[in-house]
Structure formats: C-alpha cells, structure tokens
Amino acid sequence: MKDKIENTLEYYKIKEQQILDTVNSKNDLTSEDIVHYGKEMSILTYKITALEIAKEN
C-alpha cells in the first residue's frame, strides 16, 4: 500500500510543479487563467496532504 501512496504522491508533486512552471513562465495570464490554475493547485494540495497523512498511518 505504501508503494502506491508514494507513487501517487510523486505523480501529484510532478503535476504541481508543472502548474507552477506554467504559471511562472507566462507573462500574459488572464484572471480566468489565474483562477483556473489556483483551483488546480488547491485540489493538488488537498490530495497531497491527504496522501501524506495516509502515509503516516
């Protein structure tokens, strides 16, 4: 079970970094883009936190 959690954590952290890289590399983000990427980051942060808690238990 821990291997699956670790693999999933790694996947979500990669996705999180991809979003950060995308946002940081663009100079022409619209407010809709910012809201969209913010929602995506929020979802990923929630999932990562839940998986880290599950990993500890």
Side-chain angles (χ1 to χ4, degrees), residues 11-44:
Y11 172 78
Y12 285 142
K13 287 183 179 184
I14 290 170
K15 296 305 275 182
E16 183 180 46
Q17 189 60 49
Q18 288 174 343
I19 291 171
L20 286 173
D21 291 344
T22 300
V23 170
N24 288 333
S25 68
K26 292 190 175 192
N27 293 328
D28 59 345
L29 289 173
T30 65
S31 57
E32 289 85 13
D33 291 336
I34 294 168
V35 169
H36 169 74
Y37 288 125
K39 285 180 183 178
E40 292 295 318
M41 287 296 289
S42 176
I43 292 167
L44 287 172

Side-chain angles (χ1 to χ4, degrees), residues 2 5-6 9 48-57:
K2 287 201 178 212
I5 292 173
E6 287 292 332
L9 267 172
I48 289 169
T49 302
L51 286 168
E52 287 175 343
I53 291 170
K55 186 173 80 171
E56 290 178 7
N57 295 331

